[in-house]
Amino acid sequence: MSDDIGVSEGGRRETNLPGDLMELRTELERVGAERDRYRDDLEALRRDPLSVIQAKLTYLGDRINRVDRRIDRLPALLLTEMQAMQQLFQRFSPRATLPLIAGWALSPRGLLTLTDLIADTDAHLVLECGSGTSTLWMAYALQRKGGGKAIALDHLPEYADRTRAMIHAHGLDDFADVRLSPLVPRATPRGEFLWYDFDADSLAGPIEVLLVDGPPGDTGPHARYPALPVLVDHLAVGAHVLMDDVNRRDEREVLDIWLSEVPGLSRLVPPGMGLELLTVTGCHRRD
């Protein structure tokens, strides 16, 4: 009878435990490592208490100053978002219940930027990586303009269905197309990444506004990087690219990679917190 016991390379006996017991062992190891760190801190404090206390106080002081600066900025940021929301409602009259602008939704400032880009440029084809509230407002902007299409890619059926239902409830089916696009391996200059199963050759024309708000970061490092390598040959000269969540390190790194790889891509003035606006000028197509 097997006892499911083996010996590790280091000579330690290991048991093929059920999943819940393996999780418990992992948690015990984590807690043990944390306990060892506390013991090391305590020992350092015993050896040289003044220097350790000073270092801790300096660290805590820096963190508190950062929080204070963020708190000081909040009233202005909140006012900016409220003004953006007010301007949206001045321009458009939604015909059905609106979804909440919270969680992963694009901020009111981002929504206003998108509708401005559609209104102030010759944009008739908008592509969105992700779907949701932004799809709705872009569809309203295209309807007001008199034509065009917002194509939104979503890899999750429940979110794609929810956005389609919202678009239909507002009577905007002619101006938005939500496509279920599972994440599949896509070749890029930096290797394979999971990205939308979408054939850009199916588009009726060049992309004039590109919103990069997906895939979510939990699908892999630099999850949004493939957007430009995959779509660069389908961007119109003068196209605008709006990227959300650049307050996160992963998205900032993606942004820097794009700027180093795509000729003719340049930054414009950031339209709001967590947003970056880029434009494509001159020759940007890869050889």
Side-chain angles (χ1 to χ4, degrees), residues 116-124 145 208-209 240:
D116 280 345
L117 289 174
I118 292 171
D120 298 340
T121 67
D122 194 30
H124 285 80
K145 189 169 187 172
E208 290 143 331
V209 175
H240 289 88

Side-chain angles (χ1 to χ4, degrees), residues 73-240:
R73 289 197 299 266
L74 281 176
L77 292 173
L78 180 60
L79 180 59
T80 297
E81 296 299 335
M82 291 175 61
Q83 289 174 332
M85 199 73 245
Q86 183 181 30
Q87 291 180 63
L88 285 170
F89 280 109
Q90 287 175 343
R91 299 177 188 182
F92 307 102
S93 299
R95 293 183 289 274
T97 301
L98 289 169
L100 295 176
I101 301 178
W104 291 301
L106 196 63
S107 67
R109 192 68 191 87
L111 297 173
L112 186 63
T113 299
L114 281 173
T115 56
D116 280 345
L117 289 174
I118 292 171
D120 298 340
T121 67
D122 194 30
H124 285 80
L125 180 59
V126 180
L127 183 66
E128 177 182 14
C129 300
S131 76
T133 306
S134 47
T135 316
L136 177 70
W137 288 101
M138 289 190 296
Y140 267 118
L142 290 166
Q143 182 189 51
R144 183 178 182 183
K145 189 169 187 172
K149 182 80 73 173
I151 299 174
L153 311 178
D154 210 309
H155 69 291
L156 295 174
E158 58 268 34
Y159 284 97
D161 289 343
R162 189 182 305 172
T163 304
R164 288 193 194 103
M166 177 177 61
I167 293 295
H168 182 72
H170 286 259
L172 295 167
D173 299 88
D174 291 339
F175 301 95
D177 178 11
V178 182
R179 301 187 184 182
L180 179 61
S181 305
L183 301 182
V184 297
R186 301 296 296 262
T188 78
R190 293 176 176 263
E192 281 194 345
F193 286 77
L194 288 178
W195 202 71
Y196 300 102
D197 186 11
F198 169 69
D199 182 8
D201 290 331
S202 65
L203 297 172
I207 302 165
E208 290 143 331
V209 175
L210 172 63
L211 170 60
V212 183
D213 198 15
D218 59 9
T219 61
H222 294 169
R224 299 180 182 181
Y225 163 70
L228 282 195
V230 172
L231 299 171
V232 64
D233 292 337
H234 301 273
L235 294 176
V237 174
H240 289 88

Side-chain angles (χ1 to χ4, degrees), residues 28-62:
L28 287 173
E29 291 174 352
R30 187 191 66 78
V31 172
E34 187 173 358
R35 176 200 59 196
D36 291 342
R37 289 197 301 272
Y38 292 151
R39 284 178 174 173
D40 291 343
D41 287 346
L42 181 59
E43 183 60 29
L45 184 59
R46 286 171 176 164
R47 289 195 305 267
D48 192 358
L50 291 179
S51 63
V52 173
I53 292 173
Q54 184 60 46
K56 293 290 186 182
L57 289 174
T58 300
Y59 170 78
L60 290 174
D62 290 342

